[in-house]
């Protein structure tokens, strides 16, 4: 008797059918959105905004789980190993997704391009340099001058973070000797600046905007090619005659590779639709966030690949070391 083995087409059809059936029942349990940052950071804010809307729209619980540490690599590696069933997602950003693999090639336990599938961009924001009120610094130029005459430190969200790499690139190009003080999250760095125990911090705009508006700290530069509509009086580095380094952080939702296409597409459509509503747009403005570019999952994957390549080249060209 001749045995008949299923053809590759039959196997593919079976896999597709299983994926479609799984997606049809999704979400059948609470979904966890892992945030590889400490509470209060921009990624955490974005994740909680999205989780609340998805919970309402999909009639199922969406829980945010903060897993900070190692510049976002701990939480990211956790999701890379998670079961690809749509029940574990990752709210990622430029630091852990595009920068960390280039800075820590031996210690990064995931490959951003092969371990994840893109769902949708969720927001972006430029990096801002801010100083403490007790520092006596009045401008970015003043900060550079003072750093060359006295010992000064800057805080970041941790080694390998976008904030850290941005400042190290500036130090290398402008040649000013600020000492890096890594924290577990940007909220700790900001607290040190507010308490006048640290002179400078670099961070995305949302965690800083309230303190800037309240004159509790002073923003001296926006690291982007254009000014921010939220703090229009703060100049860009290009305007100040310094290197025109653009450091805009993206935030996006991704899933473990192998997550059913139907689930990914459902989430993509849900996120795009929520960002189109006036109510959610107002939430974005209240957090000083730039709305995302609408992309399909395939287009978002291409964007992520481009960011990984771009920051890899930046790290190589600047010869930045964090060891």
């Amino acid at each position: 008797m001749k045995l008949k083995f299923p053809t590759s087409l039959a196997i593919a059809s079976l896999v597709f059918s299983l994926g479609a059936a799984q997606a049809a029942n999704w979400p059948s349990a609470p979904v966890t959105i892992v945030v590889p940052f400490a509470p209060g950071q921009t990624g955490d804010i974005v994740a909680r905004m999205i989780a609340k809307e998805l919970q309402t729209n999909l009639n199922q619980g969406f829980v945010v789980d903060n897993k900070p540490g190692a510049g976002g690599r701990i939480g990211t590696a956790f999701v890379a190993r998670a079961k690809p069933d749509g029940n574990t997602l990752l709210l990622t950003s430029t630091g852990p997704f595009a920068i960390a693999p280039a800075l820590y090639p031996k210690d990064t336990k995931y490959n951003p391009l092969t371990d994840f599938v893109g769902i949708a961009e969720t927001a972006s924001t430029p990096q801002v340099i801010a100083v403490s009120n007790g520092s006596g610094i009045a401008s970015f130029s003043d900060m550079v001058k003072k750093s060359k005459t006295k010992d000064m430190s800057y805080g970041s969200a941790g080694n390998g973070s976008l904030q850290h790499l941005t400042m190290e690139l500036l130090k290398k190009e402008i040649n000013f000797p600020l000492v890096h003080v890594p924290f577990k999250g940007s909220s700790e760095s900001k607290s040190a600046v507010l308490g006048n125990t640290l002179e400078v911090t670099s961070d995305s705009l949302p965690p800083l905007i309230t303190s800037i508006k309240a004159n509790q700290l002073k923003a001296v530069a926006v690291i982007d090619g254009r000014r921010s509509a939220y703090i229009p009086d703060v100049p860009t580095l290009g305007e100040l005659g310094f290197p025109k380094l653009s450091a805009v952080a993206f935030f996006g939702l991704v899933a473990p590779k192998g997550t059913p296409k139907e689930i990914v597409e459902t989430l993509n459509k849900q996120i795009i639709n929520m960002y189109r509503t006036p109510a959610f747009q107002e939430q974005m403005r209240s957090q000083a966030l730039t709305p995302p570019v609408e992309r399909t999952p395939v287009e978002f994957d291409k964007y992520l690949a481009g960011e990984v390549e771009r920051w890899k080249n930046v790290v190589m060209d600047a010869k930045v070391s964090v060891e």
Side-chain angles (χ1 to χ4, degrees), residues 233-255:
D233 294 334
V234 180
T236 67
L237 289 183
E239 291 178 275
L240 296 169
F242 293 100
K244 296 181 181 180
L245 172 66
S246 177
V248 177
F250 75 80
F251 297 89
L253 199 64
V254 300

Side-chain angles (χ1 to χ4, degrees), residues 170-217:
L170 284 172
K171 283 170 59 178
K172 200 169 279 287
E173 293 190 36
I174 300 175
N175 190 30
F176 62 103
L178 283 178
V179 176
H180 179 220
V181 180
F183 289 85
K184 290 184 178 179
S186 62
S187 59
E188 293 183 11
S189 176
K190 185 181 79 169
S191 294
V193 174
L194 290 173
N196 291 310
T197 58
L198 193 70
E199 295 95 339
V200 182
T201 189
S202 168
D203 203 353
S204 55
L205 182 56
L208 300 177
I209 187 69
T210 300
S211 298
I212 292 171
K213 296 290 186 181
N215 295 317
Q216 295 172 331
L217 51 76

Side-chain angles (χ1 to χ4, degrees), residues 66-213:
N66 297 88
K67 292 185 180 297
R73 287 176 289 148
I74 291 175
T76 305
F78 175 84
V79 178
R81 298 190 297 269
K83 187 177 179 180
D85 57 5
N87 291 329
T88 305
L89 309 173
L90 175 71
L91 195 293
T92 191
S93 74
T94 307
F97 201 89
I99 295 176
L103 283 176
Y104 303 96
K106 295 181 180 179
D107 296 328
T108 299
K109 307 302 181 183
Y110 56 87
N111 184 320
L113 301 182
T114 59
D115 291 339
F116 299 97
V117 57
I119 295 173
E121 183 180 350
T122 53
S124 65
T125 178
Q127 295 296 291
V128 175
I129 299 175
V131 299
S132 68
N133 288 338
S135 66
I137 297 171
S139 65
F140 182 80
S141 299
D142 192 28
M143 183 191 78
V144 174
K145 291 177 183 177
K146 285 181 179 288
S147 71
K148 294 181 178 181
T149 60
K150 59 172 291 190
D151 292 335
M152 286 176 54
S153 302
Y154 79 89
S156 80
N159 282 323
S161 64
L162 175 59
Q163 298 93 328
H164 175 210
L165 181 59
T166 297
M167 291 298 289
E168 290 302 308
L169 287 170
L170 284 172
K171 283 170 59 178
K172 200 169 279 287
E173 293 190 36
I174 300 175
N175 190 30
F176 62 103
L178 283 178
V179 176
H180 179 220
V181 180
F183 289 85
K184 290 184 178 179
S186 62
S187 59
E188 293 183 11
S189 176
K190 185 181 79 169
S191 294
V193 174
L194 290 173
N196 291 310
T197 58
L198 193 70
E199 295 95 339
V200 182
T201 189
S202 168
D203 203 353
S204 55
L205 182 56
L208 300 177
I209 187 69
T210 300
S211 298
I212 292 171
K213 296 290 186 181

Side-chain angles (χ1 to χ4, degrees), residues 256-296:
K257 198 76 170 183
T259 299
K261 178 181 177 182
E262 293 79 9
I263 293 177
V264 170
E265 292 180 343
T266 294
L267 282 165
N268 176 271
K269 291 175 182 176
Q270 284 286 334
I271 290 171
I272 288 176
N273 287 337
M274 77 171 65
Y275 276 91
R276 289 175 177 173
T277 65
F280 204 85
Q281 290 170 11
E282 180 56 35
Q283 286 189 59
M284 294 285 287
R285 286 191 290 270
S286 71
Q287 297 296 337
L289 289 164
T290 303
V293 176
E294 291 187 9
R295 295 184 176 93
T296 65

